[in-house]
Amino acid sequence: MTVVEADGHFVEPFVIKNLFIYSGETYSVLVKADQDPSRNYWVTTSVVSRNNTVTPLGLAILNYYPNHPKKSPPTVPPAGPLWNDVEPRINQSRAIKAHHDYVVPPPLTSDRVILMLNTQNEINGYRRWSVNNVSFNLPHTPYLIALKENITGAFDPTPPPNGYDFVNYDIHNVSNNTNATSSNSIYRLQFNTTVDIILQNANTMKKNDSETHPWHLHGHNFWVLGYGKGKFDNFSDPIKYNLIDPIMKNTAPVHPYGWTALRFRSDNPGTWAFHCHIESHFYLGMGVVFEEGVERVGKLPSSIMGCGKAKGLGGRP
């Protein structure tokens, strides 16, 4: 397969045998039909990042006309990549570059850096996913309404953590994250500035376990500046960022025990979710919300005033 597009952006074409797709991502690939046309061929899908020994392969048939589309290929289906082999997944992530005719240069520097530790915690005996040891909860009142209508008490006004204790935190061991905190606070971004997000993966609350998290940003595309193994170094790793031809995406993975660096412009007025695109992870707290330029948003329609403290606002003159 030749990969030619990712998340709506042309990429410098590159050839692969296996395409790793994470929840929320989209790709376009070209397949040259130049094999023996007297037979059909297997296409398989399999699970990576989690043990897939109990998950059967997904099977499809690449059909050469006039063979019958249900004519089984003469070989057994390929097994696919090993579920716990991280190296080829990192290699694919690093291989994706913007097409040379469609490069959108990123800003060379950022105005703000937010470091987000991806891990788990426990709250009142329940296992949760978390960012910087804070598990995210959505409030009853939508953020945009609360901010535009100046509704107080709709969510926690205390800013969420801008990072974690990266000097002392051991990403390879289980940390004592019991009796941790949850919050519905949001990141308030200065409008039309450049923001860097460093996603740092760590061990979960299970020994020798670090899962892949595909992070998705609403309302924006971001530049993927780099991927790395181990703990992100705030001094040496930014020097290695790709500022020449980074791909723009809206979803990107952070690999087990690794980091991913993203950059975007806070130029879209509103409140925007940024979260792990594995739905259960987001539901259990692995997400945040960014606010930018809400004062530039026009008058909200009365038809949306129905939840939480916004209930009844639609009937105002």
Side-chain angles (χ1 to χ4, degrees):
M1 294 176 286
T2 302
V3 180
V4 295
E5 174 269 336
D7 285 2
H9 296 273
F10 289 116
V11 305
E12 199 64 29
F14 62 100
V15 178
I16 52 172
K17 181 179 180 180
N18 301 296
L19 176 63
F20 298 99
I21 306 176
Y22 305 98
S23 177
E25 288 189 311
T26 62
Y27 286 95
S28 294
V29 301
L30 301 178
V31 178
K32 189 173 184 180
D34 60 355
Q35 300 301 302
D36 178 4
S38 66
R39 52 163 290 188
N40 290 336
Y41 295 83
W42 287 115
V43 179
T44 66
T45 64
S46 59
V47 175
V48 296
S49 190
R50 278 191 173 183
N51 194 329
N52 64 359
T53 54
V54 297
T55 305
L57 291 175
L59 297 177
I61 291 177
L62 187 110
N63 170 232
Y64 273 84
Y65 183 81
N67 298 328
H68 194 282
K70 291 187 178 180
K71 179 183 178 181
S72 292
T75 59
V76 297
L82 295 175
W83 72 272
N84 57 353
D85 188 0
V86 180
E87 196 68 24
R89 290 187 267 146
I90 295 178
N91 290 341
Q92 177 185 300
S93 294
R94 289 174 170 168
I96 303 175
K97 312 293 183 184
H99 190 282
H100 63 272
D101 289 332
Y102 297 94
V103 174
V104 180
L108 297 181
T109 60
S110 64
D111 301 298
R112 182 176 179 181
V113 179
I114 303 174
L115 187 59
M116 295 185 176
L117 177 71
N118 291 203
T119 186
Q120 291 178 324
N121 61 23
E122 282 189 1
I123 300 175
N124 299 324
Y126 291 95
R127 186 67 51 86
R128 304 272 300 185
W129 289 97
S130 63
V131 177
N132 294 336
N133 208 26
V134 176
S135 187
F136 178 71
N137 284 320
L138 283 167
H140 293 293
T141 306
Y143 289 110
L144 186 59
I145 298 176
L147 292 165
K148 281 294 291 182
E149 300 293 330
N150 295 314
I151 301 174
T152 59
F155 61 91
D156 184 357
T158 306
N162 211 56
Y164 73 103
D165 185 4
F166 64 91
V167 174
N168 298 308
Y169 194 98
D170 187 351
I171 66 169
H172 293 95
N173 286 325
V174 177
S175 293
N176 182 16
N177 290 337
T178 54
N179 296 322
T181 59
S182 63
S183 176
N184 55 22
S185 61
I186 62 175
Y187 289 93
R188 311 290 295 270
L189 306 178
Q190 186 176 343
F191 185 69
N192 209 25
T193 57
T194 302
V195 181
D196 280 3
I197 304 294
I198 312 300
L199 299 167
Q200 174 66 66
N201 217 337
N203 207 97
T204 66
M205 297 193 74
K206 177 183 176 183
K207 190 175 180 181
N208 298 322
D209 178 58
S210 180
E211 296 194 16
T212 302
H213 301 289
W215 277 83
H216 174 68
L217 178 59
H218 292 211
H220 306 75
N221 288 311
F222 50 68
W223 291 274
V224 183
L225 301 184
Y227 296 88
K229 300 177 182 179
K231 188 185 293 187
F232 178 79
D233 188 308
N234 192 44
F235 300 101
S236 62
D237 286 326
I239 301 173
K240 296 176 283 187
Y241 285 169
N242 177 14
L243 300 175
I244 305 300
D245 56 357
I247 184 64
M248 295 193 79
K249 296 183 93 269
N250 58 55
T251 306
V254 56
H255 296 288
Y257 302 111
W259 57 265
T260 301
L262 314 173
R263 178 169 292 176
F264 73 97
R265 292 286 298 173
S266 58
D267 55 4
N268 191 3
T271 55
W272 305 104
F274 180 50
H275 60 94
C276 177
H277 213 280
I278 298 173
E279 187 172 4
S280 60
H281 290 195
F282 184 28
Y283 178 77
L284 292 173
M286 185 168 273
V288 299
V289 167
F290 297 123
E291 177 275 320
E292 59 199 56
V294 163
E295 69 281 357
R296 296 169 179 258
V297 175
K299 181 175 174 56
L300 302 180
S302 60
S303 59
I304 70 171
M305 306 295 180
C307 297
K309 293 191 174 187
K311 190 174 183 179
L313 292 180
R316 298 188 317 181

